[in-house]
Amino acid sequence: MRAVTFQAPHEVRVEDKPEPELEAADDAIVRVDATGVCGSDLHIYHGRVQIDPGFTIGHEFVGTVLTAGDQVTSVSEGDRVLGCFHTACGRCFFCMRGWYMKCDEARVFGHGATLGSLQGTQAEQALVPTANLTLRRVPEGVSDEVALFAGDVMGTGYHSITAAGVRAGDLVAVLGLGPVGLCAAQAALAAGAAHVVAIDTVEERLEMARSFGAEPVHLTEGDPRGYVKKATGGRGVDVAVDAVGHPDALELAIRLARKCGTVSVVGVYAERVEVHMGLAWIKSLNMVTGHANVIAHVDPVLELIAAGKLDPSPLVTHHMPLDDAAEAYELYDKREALKIVLTP
Ligand SMILES: [Zn+2]
Ligand SMILES: [Zn+2]
């Protein structure tokens, strides 16, 4: 089968690899019908994630179950399914408490040996461990490219809103309108937020946020602090989402949140950064951080997608054949696409 493999920084290749085989009774093999290129794939592409040359990359997928082990009960052969971007054991301390994203045995598709040596999904077929938790049936009427979002990007946007406890009538600010930030804006509106202030510097992204019903404010040409002050009578937003992963964004989120509000940090941090802790303390802020609990959210997210309350379809800007993966990564690296869907 064909698979997209990492070779060296800025070099991916479509190679022939052996088809996967079942290894455990709760594994499934999925024929991949659509797979996405994601921001975290770029970390691999840039060589920031340690990964062996020849390893298959990719972690977003929708496909058809070809075969499943005896212990797989939630899906069966022939089902159209979507996958979450990582697996979870369902038995450890963290899984028992529903914190699947922190499972002691979690494995992330397509991230090499450091994250569980699980071959990626930018391929014609993928081996899916713990299939009962990792896979879901795609609801009738939901397209492959839309379902794709439930297992990663929309699950993450949804997490940033639900983990922060957004309620109907709330005022929300979303900083950073990449795919996750745009999904967070949609999730906030779906949760009944009265105002969603969407902040970025890219005109097309601001425009897309506006088309969802958010209020776009340009980070530098506009005045996000002044806007929020006016919109909230000087109080600040109930929830400010940092969907960037940069201390400047985090600092602005801390400033935009009201007293006793919540800062939801869904942007990725791996190093020490400086934030104004004094401000956070004086305002009695709550902070939500870390990886999204996508496995816990995948069912409600699919329901909201099927009901049309979440619609990530405008985020799909490019469709390409899997064989053009090298070109797709080049394009994505230039930030010329929001979501590229590859078809094997
Ligand atoms: Zn991803
Ligand atoms: Zn676990």
Side-chain angles (χ1 to χ4, degrees), residues 260-310:
C260 304
T262 298
V263 172
S264 183
V265 186
V266 75
V268 177
Y269 290 86
E271 277 122 31
R272 180 186 293 251
V273 303
E274 204 164 289
V275 293
H276 196 330
M277 190 58 202
L279 202 52
W281 196 90
I282 284 165
K283 292 172 84 171
S284 294
L285 296 184
N286 304 293
M287 197 176 271
V288 173
T289 71
H291 264 128
N293 195 355
V294 165
I295 291 177
H297 299 318
V298 66
D299 292 319
V301 165
L302 277 174
E303 256 172 54
L304 287 164
I305 286 176
K309 290 184 177 160
L310 297 174

Side-chain angles (χ1 to χ4, degrees), residues 87-96 99-106 133:
T87 71
C89 75
R91 296 179 307 266
C92 72
F93 178 93
F94 297 96
C95 284
M96 293 300 276
W99 298 317
Y100 300 108
M101 73 294 196
K102 292 290 111 185
C103 170
D104 284 330
E105 291 169 35
L133 276 176

Side-chain angles (χ1 to χ4, degrees), residues 16 19 41 51 55 57 85 99 117 135 173 226 239 272 335 343:
D16 256 323
E19 287 177 0
D41 292 326
I51 181 164
F55 202 91
I57 55 181
F85 73 87
W99 298 317
S117 291
L135 296 178
V239 173
R272 180 186 293 251
R335 313 246 164 221
T343 315

Side-chain angles (χ1 to χ4, degrees), residues 38-40 59-60 85 152-153 339:
C38 174
S40 27
H59 57 271
E60 299 177 353
F85 73 87
D152 186 5
V153 176
K339 173 62 70 191

Side-chain angles (χ1 to χ4, degrees), residues 12 47 53 79 107 126 149-150 159 167 170 173 193 210 220 231 235 256 263 272 290 297 302 324-325 333:
V12 301
D79 281 351
R107 302 170 74 191
F149 282 83
H159 178 87
R167 289 183 298 186
D170 274 358
R210 187 202 305 274
T220 51
R235 193 168 69 220
L256 295 182
V263 172
R272 180 186 293 251
H297 299 318
L302 277 174
D324 293 349
D333 192 31

Side-chain angles (χ1 to χ4, degrees), residues 221-243:
E221 291 165 20
D223 174 14
R225 287 178 69 183
Y227 186 91
V228 163
K229 213 170 190 177
K230 208 166 156 203
T232 62
R235 193 168 69 220
V237 294
D238 302 291
V239 173
V241 177
D242 166 9

